Amino acid sequence: MSIIREVPTFDLTVPVIVIGAGACGLTAALAVRDAGQDVLVLERDERPWGSTSMSLGAVCGVDSAEQRQHGIEDDVEAFVADVLAKTAGRANAALARTIGRESGRTLDWLSSQHDVPLLLDFKWTGLGHSRPRLHIPPGRNGEELLALLQNACARAGAEVMTGALVTDLFADAEDRVRGVRVRRRDGSSEEVGCEALVLATCGFGGNHEMIARYIPEMANARYFGHEGNRGDGILWGQALGAALADMSAYQGLGTLADPQLVVVPHPLMIEGGFLANVDGRRFTHELENISGMCVPVLAQPQGLAWVVFDEQRHQNALAHSYEHRQLVEVNAIRRADDWAGLERACGVPAGSFAEENAAIDAARAAGAPDRYGRSFAGLAPLEAPYCAVRVTGALFHTQGGLRIDDEARVLREDGRALPNLYAGGGAAQSISGPDVTGYLPAVGLSMAITLGQIAGRSAARSCA
Ligand SMILES: Cc1cc2nc3c(=O)[nH]c(=O)nc-3n(C[C@H](O)[C@H](O)[C@H](O)COP(=O)(O)OP(=O)(O)OC[C@H]3O[C@@H](n4cnc5c(N)ncnc54)[C@H](O)[C@@H]3O)c2cc1C
């Protein structure tokens, strides 16, 4: 993966090349086509998948038509305030403002112009968002979101070449990207010229060296994002003189079913379930920082925990969660008619789950928060039969990346933009501050889709 300064004569040149066919790259391609330019998306995998397909498909959008239809008033300043509160003032406020201003209208554009419907969801309330902002495709999963975007690209005439790993960029002495080298699956190489380049290669979760360097606390943790996200775009940008920001930031959930590797839906806990370790003891406020829950979970004996809930929550989750249905299919849920039975099924000390549940009931009855400061007020007590899923923590996606401006142009260390390089999604800096505590739910896909739209639009304009 390098920058080649000797620029060849290209047999084929397209106005805009996009590297990566995840949510960011495909949205960028749609924006390029809407601006009347041709675009070529290059994707390493034979079948586009990316972290986008692995995701829950929830996208944060501010002041969308969906929100207005449901009577939800939202605005840029409310969003920026939420971002700054979640990150203790350490996020890039200008970037948050850009996302606040553009995310809702980007979702409206996808829905009205490209038949990519994203519906407002009320299951994930709070957790740092002062308004309902999560928009989910009808089938409620990331695979569907990617399929909707792929279909839209096909209709819009955006060409997507798969099995096409970009290995090198060609750039001139002014750091203008002039083209890319692509390795095909049969080992052959092709060189394609471009007038502008969008980096939509996501973050560096699949690059162990970069993780050890920038996020050493996760160096030995499992990575549960797309393995093809090796930080290529970030490394190319850096080699061209781009500034990096917030490289130590990441999201890591603590609710990855072990060993089945399915994400346990958070509404189970939002609606009153709890986490206990293998000794059957609670150890944290389950909702305080769900995006960084990998840290307390991995600190528990064996790095494992149990998500404990009941039959009623199980039924609710079955109705709304694709992942929960997967948990049933792979037989990940243990179930018993009483606490003693569930404790036996999970191999935790007798009486431990029952005691923890009784402590929660007592706190609720006293109208007081529990010993971790969590309030269960207004949530129905758990009732038999009881259920549990064993989980572990993992790194899901990195949040640091290339510094960009409000047109998604990649910036140099001195703040000047590189001539024709754009970035979005996991390849760009996010709005999560510098560590694991600042990620607001559904911001990852919002950075992908919103910045993808901005990057595609800006790149197309630069070719006009
Ligand atoms: C399990 C899980 C659940 C998640 N749930 C949510 C959620 O509900 N809401 C949310 O907002 N975020 C969620 N996220 C985060 C979200 O998935 C990412 O933020 C988002 O998908 C990033 O989109 P992207 O387009 O930047 O990257 P991706 O979708 O990963 O796409 C990047 C693409 O670039 C390709 N690529 C990389 N390098 C090259 C190269 N050199 N040449 C060619 N192709 C290349 C990759 O193969 C990949 O297809 C979740 C993440 C995980 C792992």
Side-chain angles (χ1 to χ4, degrees):
M1 301 288 159
S2 60
I3 305 292
I4 301 173
R5 294 293 181 173
E6 214 167 296
V7 180
T9 305
F10 299 103
D11 290 338
L12 169 71
T13 294
V14 287
V16 181
I17 287 181
V18 175
I19 311 180
C24 179
L26 296 178
T27 309
L30 289 173
V32 175
R33 290 300 296 139
D34 274 19
Q37 294 287 357
D38 283 341
V39 60
L40 174 63
V41 182
L42 298 167
E43 167 55 50
R44 62 183 297 153
D45 292 347
E46 285 299 317
R47 176 182 166 213
W49 190 251
S51 285
T52 300
S53 282
M54 300 175 71
S55 79
L56 313 182
V59 193
C60 163
V62 178
D63 193 23
S64 68
E66 269 285 307
Q67 284 177 307
R68 289 192 296 277
Q69 238 169 49
H70 285 87
I72 310 288
E73 284 182 23
D74 201 0
D75 60 53
V76 180
E77 293 314 319
F79 177 67
V80 174
D82 289 348
V83 169
L84 293 179
K86 182 75 176 130
T87 57
R90 296 172 300 164
N92 180 331
L95 190 52
R97 195 156 275 115
T98 302
I99 299 300
R101 197 179 56 239
E102 297 262 0
S103 56
R105 57 174 87 141
T106 300
L107 297 186
D108 298 349
W109 162 75
L110 280 178
S111 164
S112 63
Q113 303 298 308
H114 292 287
D115 206 11
V116 179
L118 287 155
L119 313 173
L120 193 64
D121 185 77
F122 293 89
K123 274 281 170 197
W124 286 65
T125 48
L127 305 174
H129 286 293
S130 58
R131 323 273 201 276
R133 292 195 178 110
L134 270 58
H135 300 68
I136 302 201
R140 308 183 70 87
N141 66 84
E143 214 177 320
E144 184 192 23
L145 174 61
L146 197 74
L148 287 165
L149 289 169
Q150 280 182 272
N151 290 344
C153 279
R155 283 192 299 270
E159 192 168 339
V160 180
M161 185 190 283
T162 60
L165 172 71
V166 179
T167 56
D168 307 286
L169 307 190
F170 297 98
D172 63 20
E174 278 74 50
D175 299 320
R176 178 177 291 277
V177 178
R178 303 286 301 279
V180 303
R181 176 175 285 154
V182 186
R183 192 163 69 223
R184 306 310 307 274
R185 228 161 74 109
D186 61 7
S188 65
S189 279
E190 287 171 36
E191 289 158 4
V192 187
C194 65
E195 291 174 45
L197 180 70
V198 177
L199 297 171
T201 45
C202 204
F204 53 96
N207 182 326
H208 302 298
E209 211 173 283
M210 287 178 81
I211 292 295
R213 176 164 175 207
Y214 292 111
I215 315 180
E217 71 205 67
M218 285 285 111
N220 297 319
R222 185 197 301 268
Y223 169 54
F224 190 66
H226 183 58
E227 282 295 338
N229 295 339
R230 311 248 163 105
D232 295 350
I234 295 173
L235 293 171
W236 285 317
Q238 197 179 21
L240 287 167
L244 306 184
D246 291 336
M247 292 295 283
S248 46
Y250 65 101
Q251 190 212 20
L253 297 180
T255 48
L256 184 63
D258 178 276
Q260 297 87 358
L261 301 185
V262 176
V263 182
V264 177
H266 278 88
L268 289 171
M269 280 179 289
I270 296 170
E271 291 168 7
F274 63 88
L275 273 174
N277 63 20
V278 293
D279 295 327
R281 296 297 166 194
R282 284 183 67 216
F283 52 90
T284 190
H285 180 324
E286 290 82 357
L287 307 183
E288 198 165 46
N289 180 21
I290 61 164
S291 298
M293 197 51 70
C294 62
V295 176
V297 167
L298 289 172
Q300 298 310 301
Q302 301 170 44
L304 295 171
W306 292 94
V307 177
V308 181
F309 49 102
D310 67 0
E311 178 67 22
Q312 184 58 55
R313 273 91 177 167
H314 168 65
Q315 292 300 333
N316 293 349
L318 276 182
H320 71 73
S321 168
Y322 175 79
E323 285 75 22
H324 200 73
R325 292 191 287 274
Q326 286 183 319
L327 288 170
V328 171
E329 273 172 34
V330 296
N331 216 8
I333 302 175
R334 306 197 188 179
R335 195 169 172 280
D337 288 336
D338 54 23
W339 285 118
L342 192 69
E343 288 154 0
R344 272 196 306 279
C346 297
V348 300
S352 55
F353 284 170
E355 275 173 34
E356 292 295 357
N357 186 59
I360 289 170
D361 284 348
R364 183 179 10 240
D370 69 6
R371 66 186 189 275
Y372 297 106
R374 178 175 171 191
S375 168
F376 285 82
L379 297 171
L382 301 189
E383 281 185 20
Y386 302 113
C387 309
V389 180
R390 193 173 66 188
V391 292
T392 188
L395 167 66
F396 276 53
H397 50 125
T398 55
Q399 293 290 293
L402 298 164
R403 182 163 284 168
I404 52 169
D405 66 8
D406 62 0
E407 289 177 50
R409 295 185 301 178
V410 176
L411 299 177
R412 294 183 166 104
E413 290 284 355
D414 63 7
R416 284 178 308 130
L418 282 155
N420 65 344
L421 190 63
Y422 303 82
Q429 173 192 17
S430 190
I431 50 174
S432 302
D435 60 28
V436 69
T437 59
Y439 181 84
L440 271 177
V443 153
L445 281 170
S446 194
M447 300 303 289
I449 283 179
T450 311
L451 291 177
Q453 182 268 127
I454 297 172
R457 187 182 67 196
S458 308
R461 271 188 203 151
S462 77
C463 306

